[in-house]
């Protein structure tokens, strides 16, 4: 029990203020609470299972630059989809959600955002120190600690959703995803430049950022035309 509590609170504290909490707040305008909770819980269980049972094998076989690039593309995709809109009224009239695999979308986004994060390093460390005989306790403790911290992000997001104008929350979501996307892409370019082949990091980042900005403007214009 003492080991469980130690792992739980260590993981909980490590996750507080992390980017994935902000990401969950940004996801609240797009998906239902149950979809976010289900997708997040599944991603946490899988990630911590990999961390505890497989140790550092994931980061050893998958290049860091590839992880960062995939995460950046996921963030930018959600930012662009926030601008494009989801046609919520049409979905409600039809009696079912347009996004049939919302938990899977949340799972993939959370998985990529959390992969290689400090909480994963914490789980790997506990798994290595305690050994396979305590793997189940480490897995459950890490998973519950991480989920407890992230669920705060979910409820904060839904509280903001009910208390603030929808347009303001969508703008916040767009900003969060865009900043995470551009910064993560910058990290990926740096890893490519230092570990794969020398490339101009800042020119590449500027090109991607400008292209993303143009895409968002086009999506915004198209959405406004639909409204009119």
């Amino acid at each position: 029990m003492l080991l469980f509590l130690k792992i739980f609170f260590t993981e909980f504290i490590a996750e507080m203020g992390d980017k994935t909490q902000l990401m969950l707040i940004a996801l609240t305008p797009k998906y239902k609470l149950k979809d976010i909770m289900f997708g997040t819980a599944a991603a946490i269980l899988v990630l911590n299972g990999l961390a505890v049972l497989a140790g550092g094998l994931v980061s050893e076989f998958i290049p860091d630059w590839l992880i960062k690039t995939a995460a950046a593309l996921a963030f930018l995709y959600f930012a662009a989809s926030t601008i494009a809109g989801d046609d919520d009224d049409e979905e409600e009239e039809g009696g079912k959600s347009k996004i049939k695999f919302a938990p899977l979308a949340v799972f993939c986004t959370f998985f990529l955002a959390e992969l290689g994060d400090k909480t994963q390093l914490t789980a790997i460390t506990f798994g290595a120190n305690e050994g396979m005989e305590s793997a189940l306790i480490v897995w459950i403790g890490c998973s519950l600690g991480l989920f407890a911290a992230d669920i705060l992000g979910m409820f904060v997001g839904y509280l903001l959703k009910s208390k603030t104008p929808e347009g303001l929350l969508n703008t916040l979501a767009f900003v969060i995803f865009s900043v995470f996307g551009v910064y993560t892409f910058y990290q990926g370019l740096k890893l490519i430049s230092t570990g794969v082949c020398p490339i101009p990091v800042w020119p590449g980042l500027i090109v991607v950022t400008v292209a993303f900005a143009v895409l968002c403007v086009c999506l915004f214009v198209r959405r406004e035309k639909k409204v009119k």
Side-chain angles (χ1 to χ4, degrees), residues 47 53 68 101 144 171 187 224:
L47 278 167
L53 298 177
K68 291 294 185 183
F101 300 101
L144 290 179
T171 301
Q187 291 178 315
E224 291 301 306

Side-chain angles (χ1 to χ4, degrees), residues 61 66 111 116 151 171 227:
F61 285 102
L66 184 58
F111 188 95
I151 202 171
T171 301
V227 172

Side-chain angles (χ1 to χ4, degrees), residues 64-74 184-185 188-189 192:
D64 289 341
W65 67 265
L66 184 58
I67 294 174
K68 291 294 185 183
T69 302
L73 292 176
T184 307
F185 200 83
L189 289 176
I192 294 174

Side-chain angles (χ1 to χ4, degrees), residues 14 32 58 62 64 71 77 127 150 156 167 193 210 212 227:
K32 297 178 180 178
V58 171
I62 302 178
D64 289 341
Y77 166 77
D150 286 326
V156 167
S193 179
V210 171
F212 173 70
V227 172

Side-chain angles (χ1 to χ4, degrees), residues 118-132:
K118 62 181 181 294
T119 50
Q120 289 303 292
L121 298 178
T122 303
I124 291 172
T125 301
F126 274 121
N129 289 340
E130 303 300 331
M132 289 302 297

Side-chain angles (χ1 to χ4, degrees), residues 164-187:
T164 59
E166 182 179 354
L168 179 61
L169 193 57
N170 284 337
T171 301
L172 175 63
F174 171 76
V175 171
I176 290 174
F177 281 125
S178 298
V179 170
F180 282 164
V182 172
Y183 179 70
T184 307
F185 200 83
Y186 166 73
Q187 291 178 315

Side-chain angles (χ1 to χ4, degrees), residues 29-30 77-89 91 98-99 166 170 216 219-220 222-224 226-227:
K30 299 178 62 61
Y77 166 77
F78 276 103
S81 64
T82 301
I83 287 291
D86 291 328
D87 299 327
D88 292 334
D89 294 337
E91 292 174 15
K98 175 182 174 183
I99 303 176
E166 182 179 354
N170 284 337
C216 290
L219 291 174
F220 178 78
R222 188 179 70 173
R223 187 186 70 179
E224 291 301 306
K226 285 183 178 181
V227 172

Side-chain angles (χ1 to χ4, degrees), residues 18 35 42 55 82 109 141 193 197 201 204 207 215 221 223:
D18 195 67
D35 292 332
T82 301
T109 305
S193 179
C197 63
V201 174
V207 169
L215 173 63
V221 171
R223 187 186 70 179

